[in-house]
Amino acid sequence: MDAPDNPWLSLDYLERNWGEVSEQLVIHTTLTLQALAIAFAIAFPLAVIARRAPRLSSPIMGVSGVLYTIPSFALFGLLAPFTGIGRTTVLIGLVAYALLVLVRNIVVGLQGVDRDVTDAARGMGYTPMRLLLQVELPNALPSIIAGLRIAAVSTVALVTVGVVVGYGGLGQLMFRGLQSDYRAQIMTATLLCLALALVLDLLLALAGRLAMPWARRRTAA
């Protein structure tokens, strides 16, 4: 039987269009990593403030929660008149969506630290900063890594929505493939998105294991 004229999988498409495919993959990857880095840099101090000042916890969680509920198409559309069409608009939207996941997981991790452990550290003369970095943060790492993994996978998916403002990474290929009914283009972009999400998730899981050797020993025991 002859192969279909418009197959879903085509090495020929990949070979002929590798330059464009690799370019969009790089854009997709860098956008995801940049958004995660910025979101974490914002989320961590916010989570610490929420933990240290319970009165501020509700406002912080409420604002990040409201941002998360805005539909992505609508958010990018609202930002476009102010930040323009392109990378900046998409990046701001991605950071906004990642904040809730990261803030919530960091707060949960910090709240889960045994009070006896923190009280003992304070009794030994630990300053608040030393307590945070040497006691609370290591104990909160499982929750923080879990939050990063969730945020990474969801951000990979959300980058594709950036096509609405002309900067969607692999979403650009998906959109054009859907418009022209070019199945190989759609499937290639989709599989690369899935692969990118899987790779980032595995790398973060590995980083978590390396950062928590005590957890590996506990599992081995």
Side-chain angles (χ1 to χ4, degrees), residues 20-37:
E20 182 185 26
V21 171
S22 60
E23 179 185 3
Q24 296 302 333
L25 177 60
V26 169
I27 289 173
H28 208 112
T29 304
T30 55
L31 260 177
T32 300
L33 295 177
Q34 191 176 0
L36 284 175

Side-chain angles (χ1 to χ4, degrees), residues 107-120:
V107 168
V108 168
L110 294 174
Q111 289 176 338
V113 179
D114 193 327
R115 185 175 293 275
D116 290 338
V117 174
T118 57
D119 288 343

Side-chain angles (χ1 to χ4, degrees), residues 116-127 130-131 134-135:
D116 290 338
V117 174
T118 57
D119 288 343
R122 290 191 185 96
M124 295 171 62
Y126 277 51
T127 63
R130 187 183 177 193
L131 177 67
Q134 297 186 6
V135 177

Side-chain angles (χ1 to χ4, degrees), residues 6-218:
N6 189 19
W8 285 103
L9 296 173
S10 172
L11 287 176
D12 181 59
Y13 163 77
L14 197 57
E15 291 172 358
R16 287 186 291 105
N17 298 277
W18 177 244
E20 182 185 26
V21 171
S22 60
E23 179 185 3
Q24 296 302 333
L25 177 60
V26 169
I27 289 173
H28 208 112
T29 304
T30 55
L31 260 177
T32 300
L33 295 177
Q34 191 176 0
L36 284 175
I38 295 173
F40 186 81
I42 297 172
F44 187 77
L46 286 178
V48 172
I49 292 171
R51 174 73 176 116
R52 295 284 191 267
R55 290 182 181 179
L56 297 177
S57 179
S58 293
I60 289 173
M61 298 302 294
V63 171
S64 58
V66 167
L67 290 174
Y68 195 81
T69 60
I70 301 174
S72 52
F73 274 105
L75 180 59
F76 291 147
L78 288 171
L79 289 171
F82 305 99
T83 56
I85 301 296
R87 187 183 186 93
T88 301
T89 298
V90 178
L91 188 59
I92 293 172
L94 296 176
V95 170
Y97 283 118
L99 275 178
L100 176 65
V101 175
L102 293 176
V103 170
R104 180 174 292 172
N105 276 67
I106 296 171
V107 168
V108 168
L110 294 174
Q111 289 176 338
V113 179
D114 193 327
R115 185 175 293 275
D116 290 338
V117 174
T118 57
D119 288 343
R122 290 191 185 96
M124 295 171 62
Y126 277 51
T127 63
M129 182 59 69
R130 187 183 177 193
L131 177 67
L132 173 65
L133 296 178
Q134 297 186 6
V135 177
E136 293 178 311
L137 184 56
N139 282 278
L141 271 179
S143 182
I144 294 173
I145 295 296
L148 281 169
R149 292 176 68 181
I150 295 170
V153 172
S154 62
T155 300
V156 169
L158 282 169
V159 171
T160 60
V161 185
V163 69
V164 72
V165 289
Y167 208 86
L170 294 168
Q172 300 293 133
L173 302 181
M174 290 183 195
F175 182 71
R176 289 207 302 271
L178 288 168
Q179 283 188 313
S180 60
D181 192 30
Y182 196 171
R183 295 178 179 178
Q185 191 171 36
I186 300 169
M187 184 58 69
T188 298
T190 301
L191 291 177
L192 286 174
C193 278
L194 292 173
L196 178 58
L198 179 60
V199 168
L200 289 179
D201 184 62
L202 291 175
L203 288 176
L204 286 169
L206 177 61
R209 287 180 61 83
L210 293 175
M212 297 180 289
W214 60 88
R216 296 202 307 273
R217 289 194 295 266
R218 192 180 305 129

